[in-house]
Amino acid sequence: MPKSVTGFSKLTKEEKINWIASNHFFNANEAIQTIKQYWNSDADLQQLHDEFIENTVSNFYLPLGVAPNFLINGKNHTIPMVIEESSVVAAASKSAKFWSTRGGFKATVLNSEKIGQVHFIFEGDAQKLNQFFKGIKSKFFAETESITKNMQKRGGGILDIELRDKTTELENYYQLQATFETKDSMGANFINSCLEQFAKTLKNEAEKHESFSSEEKNIEVIMSILSNYVPNCTVRVEVSCKVAELAEKNISDPSAFAQKFVQAVKIAEIEPFRAVTHNKGIMNGIDAVVLATGNDFRAVEAGVHAFASRTGKYSSLSHAKVENDIFTFWMEIPLALGTVGGLTSLHPLVKISLEMLGNPTAHELMEIVAVAGLAQNFAALRSLTTTGIQEGHMKMHLNNIINQFNVTDAERSAIKNHFKTNQVSHSAVVDYIESLKK
Ligand code: MEV
């Protein structure tokens, strides 16, 4: 069992690596070599990455791929995607190409409001608290002015603050719930700073409030934090075309395809086991662009799945219909994203990704990210309802399988050639490699 350690964070990077290597690895030198192999030779660049987090020992590479030909609201985009799963970028590209000749993607930001809460305990008369809140409401705005000044210049700020009585669910529990507009920043720091000031104002004012009893004066703030549930920060994306226009290589009967596709979506709408996988496919596209653009994919994931359960039952994020011979496929999702602040101006590849997208506003990025999700979902459902997912997936996965073996370049091309016409499976590849080596 590895030893515990004190003061680990104070060790230098070398010391940290040596400690890990000697305590966790049978072959310490090999471990050190692998960890260091991923260091960048540019010391400044390495330091930049080291400082993103704590106790950094190396870099963990993920591929950055690109999916071209995304026509969104009449504008062409090449979308950067950071993801480890093979076939996702290929699927996105295929979908993009398909829809680029059928009118492209239409995307609209519906709203962009974010929420933050001060959770507190008040032991006393709810009516008095209500009166008190009304009396001091303007102070919450006044005492956060130094924080909100710049945001207001950019057209954002605190939209409203309300007092919420949650005592029927938890004894003496109340909230200050505030709504914010954070323009091009994701806004987490801005919102949390405002909330912490609200909490101070709340406590200070309560202590001075004459009609409060001594118990009522003693408001206990439990915590102040933004919510990653953003049901009022949503974007709608859609594709549509005449059913007959769906015809393509694997879609010889577009009408049958459209019906089957709509059924597949309806299944995800009513069956949570399918909905989770269906939405996972959407998140393949969304997370990849969220990561490439330096946004917080955990926040996005948490918010999106909460939204998918908003009726009390987990359901599909996307929907499809055929009406008057028109096939329409669409989705509305919450996305709290930023194009300024955070990693956006720090990580060189994030800067590249944003520039590749034409340095979008946060609203434009919401549209692009949602489109990547819908495109991914379309590609997955198209495969699932026609050829099945494995054919394409295993073709893309072939490289990963080959890389597990020591093969020459000539053997690699022979394998790729062979599996152009034969079904790919792990054992089939192993058998074929063995036959080549004989
Ligand atoms: C795999 O990463 C994603 C899919 O399972 C999505 C889906 O089933 O819709 C193919």
Side-chain angles (χ1 to χ4, degrees):
M1 207 167 71
K3 277 193 281 180
S4 67
V5 58
T6 46
F8 183 75
S9 64
K10 307 272 179 321
L11 301 180
T12 64
K13 192 156 110 178
E14 288 278 354
E15 287 166 343
K16 286 185 183 105
I17 292 170
N18 289 339
W19 182 85
I20 300 164
S22 54
N23 282 285
H24 294 75
F25 295 91
F26 182 68
N27 190 335
N29 284 336
E30 201 176 76
I32 292 173
Q33 204 192 338
T34 305
I35 290 171
K36 290 189 174 175
Q37 196 181 359
Y38 289 88
W39 282 7
N40 200 293
S41 55
D42 177 337
D44 290 339
L45 190 63
Q46 186 52 57
Q47 193 183 345
L48 179 77
H49 283 77
D50 285 353
E51 289 174 1
F52 286 155
I53 61 161
E54 310 74 39
N55 293 343
T56 312
V57 291
S58 190
N59 307 303
F60 190 98
Y61 289 0
L62 282 177
L64 166 64
V66 293
N69 300 317
F70 270 97
L71 186 63
I72 306 174
N73 295 340
K75 211 169 131 190
N76 216 44
H77 289 275
T78 301
I79 298 189
M81 302 177 83
V82 170
I83 188 158
E84 86 300 345
E85 184 178 334
S86 57
S87 358
V88 169
V89 176
S93 308
K94 232 168 134 184
S95 243
K97 194 84 199 243
F98 182 90
W99 285 106
S100 69
T101 54
R102 292 164 177 83
F105 293 82
K106 312 265 177 319
T108 325
V109 170
L110 302 177
N111 38 35
S112 57
E113 192 179 282
K114 285 151 196 169
I115 288 171
Q117 298 170 321
V118 177
H119 306 268
F120 66 95
I121 302 295
F122 172 76
E123 291 181 38
D125 183 344
Q127 289 279 52
K128 273 160 82 181
L129 181 66
N130 219 2
Q131 281 309 316
F132 161 73
F133 172 73
K134 281 188 186 141
I136 65 156
K137 188 168 170 180
S138 60
K139 292 217 160 140
F140 292 121
F141 290 89
E143 294 184 6
T144 44
E145 242 164 37
S146 61
I147 308 168
T148 57
K149 211 169 48 201
N150 280 339
M151 187 60 86
Q152 274 168 1
K153 275 189 207 145
R154 291 193 269 135
I158 304 160
L159 301 176
D160 195 15
I161 309 170
E162 59 174 288
L163 173 70
R164 298 175 93 208
D165 183 339
K166 305 291 283 183
T167 53
T168 55
E169 289 161 80
L170 186 66
E171 203 180 2
N172 300 325
Y173 168 42
Y174 295 84
Q175 299 168 349
L176 291 181
Q177 176 160 297
T179 44
F180 301 87
E181 168 57 59
T182 60
K183 299 312 272 184
D184 286 333
S185 67
M186 192 271 190
N189 279 333
F190 169 73
I191 293 174
N192 289 333
S193 301
C194 288
L195 294 171
E196 289 188 4
Q197 180 55 51
F198 295 163
K200 281 188 199 144
T201 304
L202 179 73
K203 266 195 87 60
N204 290 344
E205 293 299 322
E207 275 162 23
K208 294 192 293 205
H209 194 59
E210 278 173 3
S211 66
F212 273 170
S213 67
S214 57
E215 228 163 34
E216 288 169 335
K217 281 188 198 307
N218 194 21
I219 282 178
E220 188 191 3
V221 171
I222 303 294
M223 59 192 160
S224 311
I225 187 76
L226 92 166
S227 172
N228 290 124
Y229 185 40
V230 284
N232 294 324
C233 185
T234 55
V235 53
R236 187 183 197 281
V237 278
E238 178 187 303
V239 283
S240 70
C241 68
K242 286 195 181 131
V243 169
E245 287 169 4
L246 290 167
E248 234 220 351
K249 195 172 126 225
N250 288 322
I251 311 174
S252 53
D253 181 347
S255 177
F257 166 75
Q259 295 302 339
K260 206 169 168 190
F261 191 100
V262 170
Q263 281 301 342
V265 177
K266 285 202 188 309
I267 290 169
E269 283 170 349
I270 59 115
E271 166 55 55
F273 278 93
R274 172 57 200 150
V276 171
T277 316
H278 177 97
N279 290 347
K280 187 274 182 187
I282 294 173
M283 299 316 285
N284 276 345
I286 290 184
D287 283 342
V289 193
V290 167
L291 261 170
T293 55
N295 276 280
D296 181 344
F297 65 93
R298 287 86 54 209
V300 167
E301 282 277 347
V304 165
H305 295 297
F307 190 77
S309 332
R310 68 195 180 287
T311 60
K313 182 174 170 183
Y314 191 89
S315 179
S316 168
L317 291 160
S318 62
H319 308 280
K321 65 178 179 186
V322 173
E323 241 172 51
N324 303 326
D325 227 24
I326 303 283
F327 168 83
T328 310
F329 180 45
W330 76 98
M331 159 170 96
E332 265 177 44
I333 50 156
L335 284 174
L337 301 175
T339 54
V340 299
L343 270 197
T344 55
S345 55
L346 286 178
H347 196 303
L349 286 175
V350 168
K351 281 200 252 177
I352 288 281
S353 296
L354 287 168
E355 200 173 333
M356 197 186 302
L357 292 172
N359 287 322
T361 61
H363 280 198
E364 285 164 344
L365 186 60
M366 283 167 78
E367 293 173 351
I368 293 165
V369 168
V371 162
L374 193 73
Q376 209 61 47
N377 195 210
F378 179 78
L381 291 176
R382 180 169 66 173
S383 298
L384 287 167
T385 57
T386 55
T387 56
I389 206 78
Q390 281 311 89
E391 185 187 284
H393 193 81
M394 291 311 283
K395 281 239 151 77
M396 295 294 166
H397 193 52
L398 180 61
N399 255 334
N400 289 344
I401 305 176
I402 300 173
N403 287 343
Q404 291 166 15
F405 301 91
N406 203 1
V407 295
T408 63
D409 287 349
E411 284 165 343
R412 183 180 290 270
S413 24
I415 299 165
K416 286 198 165 167
N417 218 15
H418 176 80
F419 284 102
K420 268 187 192 148
T421 47
N422 289 282
Q423 196 178 8
V424 182
S425 74
H426 195 273
S427 59
V429 178
V430 173
D431 287 350
Y432 189 70
I433 291 175
E434 275 170 9
S435 76
L436 278 181
K437 300 249 181 225
K438 264 184 201 152

